[in-house]
Amino acid sequence: MTDLNDHSDQPELRVGLIGYGVAGAFFHAPLIAATPGLKLSAVVTGDPGRAAEVSSRYGARPVADAAELWESVDLVVVASPNRTHVPLATAALEAGLPVVVDKPLAATAQEARGLAELARDRGLMLTVFQNRRWDGDFLTIERLVASGELGTVNRLESRFERWRPVPKGGWREMGGAAEVGGLLYDLGSHLVDQALRLLGPVTAVYAESDVRRAGVVSDDDTFIALTHAGGARSHLWMSAVTSQLGPRFRVLGTQAAYVKYGLDVQEDRLRAGLTPDSPGFGDDPRDRWGVLGTDEAGHRVPTEPGAYLEFYRAVVAALREGGAPPVAPEEVVEALTVLEAARRSAAEGTTVSL
């Protein structure tokens, strides 16, 4: 059987990374550098300090404009501010290059659908960095569902909560709708994607969305309730003003529940400078394992190792072997349809049927 991760006999794919902020510096660059078959070749940044870092740390060529990439790379990764995702991905696809786009792919499902059609027409890979599919806790839930230990899942409760009473500033908080800012599209992109992956299509969306902190323009405290076609419900929280955090996951099934506190460890380790291919990189400490069972009979279960590297390994396999991308753009269109419905629900105070 062919090992799809073994591409040692083929030249490395040259990657052009657009953007070296949080997403580019802490997620994409280290993951690309650690993935066999990929070489971080060039990085678009206008910041002299960041340009020096990409040269010294990765041996990558800093460039000032994305258009300089089109003739010199084999793969483009868009990790720039959200409002630029669609025009940059469009330009890369029109230049004949496969593209990875950080989430959210676009502000609307219609824009995302247009990108997916362009990629399909050109015969090019388009995929979206929904890295939270490879969080250890979510992989654990998928394992428990597949094994039948939870029974039928009736409700998914999922939270990305933080305590940031003082705004950090920047376009995510201050940019408003034009910047595709706010937590609904930032953290909500992950929570909705996971809910759809776990429980399937959505038939109704209800949302509450607020701006709680002075001086902030974009939503910083949002709740979404989803009704899935199979009858299950998802309750999703994303907040920057939670002074005591709830469980990251509470999954209620007909046989048992699974409750897990604390975020996946990979982001903190990437921010701390650990390399994602180091031993134990995605391992959850034992004292953070979730509890499976009931109040009368519950026990801790090991968290699956987090595996962000699998995303870029799957990108290499898709480009080398012609297989499916790690995240299909059609799945992202579905998630954006839900996010748009949530925005409408919060604005109108209604439940939106899909």
Side-chain angles (χ1 to χ4, degrees), residues 75-343:
L75 169 68
V76 170
V77 176
V78 179
S80 47
N82 291 350
R83 62 178 170 79
T84 68
H85 287 184
V86 171
L88 286 171
T90 299
L93 289 167
E94 289 179 341
L97 293 165
V99 184
V100 172
V101 185
D102 202 89
K103 59 79 198 164
L105 175 59
T108 68
Q110 181 178 356
E111 288 178 318
R113 195 176 292 111
L115 282 176
E117 291 173 355
L118 176 60
R120 187 167 55 249
D121 291 345
R122 297 295 178 98
L124 296 168
M125 185 202 73
L126 170 67
T127 191
V128 182
F129 189 62
Q130 293 288 168
N131 59 301
R132 297 292 178 174
R133 293 188 182 189
W134 290 271
D135 275 0
D137 44 25
F138 186 67
L139 293 173
T140 303
I141 293 169
E142 289 187 313
R143 183 192 78 204
L144 295 174
V145 169
S147 70
E149 293 172 82
L150 288 168
T152 300
V153 174
N154 289 325
R155 185 168 60 186
L156 166 70
E157 297 178 7
S158 178
R159 294 171 172 85
F160 266 134
E161 296 174 327
R162 294 162 175 162
W163 176 231
R164 291 179 179 168
V166 178
K168 297 172 66 177
W171 63 266
R172 293 183 188 277
E173 294 180 334
M174 308 302 183
E179 296 282 350
V180 200
L183 294 187
L184 175 63
Y185 274 78
D186 183 16
L187 304 179
S189 293
H190 290 308
L191 299 183
V192 168
D193 180 73
Q194 289 179 332
L196 289 169
R197 187 165 178 82
L198 191 69
L199 297 174
V202 167
T203 58
V205 181
Y206 168 79
E208 303 164 1
S209 190
D210 296 288
V211 180
R212 299 295 190 187
R213 295 171 297 173
V216 171
V217 173
S218 303
D219 69 287
D220 58 6
D221 189 21
T222 295
F223 167 76
I224 308 174
L226 306 178
T227 303
H228 295 267
R233 297 184 187 271
S234 293
H235 291 172
L236 314 175
W237 289 262
M238 55 230 72
S239 176
V241 292
T242 305
S243 49
Q244 292 194 35
L245 307 185
R248 170 67 186 90
F249 282 111
R250 192 168 79 129
V251 187
L252 305 180
T254 54
Q255 300 298 319
Y258 173 74
V259 181
K260 174 75 167 68
Y261 282 83
L263 291 173
D264 177 87
V265 298
Q266 293 174 97
E267 178 175 349
D268 283 347
R269 290 174 180 173
L270 286 168
R271 287 176 177 269
L274 274 69
T275 56
D277 56 350
S278 57
F281 173 80
D283 292 351
D284 201 31
R286 188 184 184 94
D287 61 0
R288 289 164 53 106
W289 290 357
V291 174
L292 173 69
T294 65
D295 282 341
E296 291 75 26
H299 62 281
R300 290 194 177 274
V301 294
T303 307
E304 289 288 314
Y308 288 170
L309 267 180
E310 291 303 313
F311 175 86
Y312 273 108
R313 286 172 176 158
V315 166
V316 173
L319 294 176
R320 294 299 196 196
E321 311 293 335
V327 177
E330 291 78 15
E331 296 170 342
V332 177
V333 169
E334 184 181 11
L336 283 167
T337 301
V338 172
L339 290 174
E340 285 187 87
R343 187 168 57 183

Side-chain angles (χ1 to χ4, degrees), residues 7-14 37-38 74 320:
H7 305 287
S8 56
D9 60 336
Q10 301 181 58
E12 292 179 310
L13 295 165
R14 299 164 300 169
L38 296 181
D74 306 302
R320 294 299 196 196

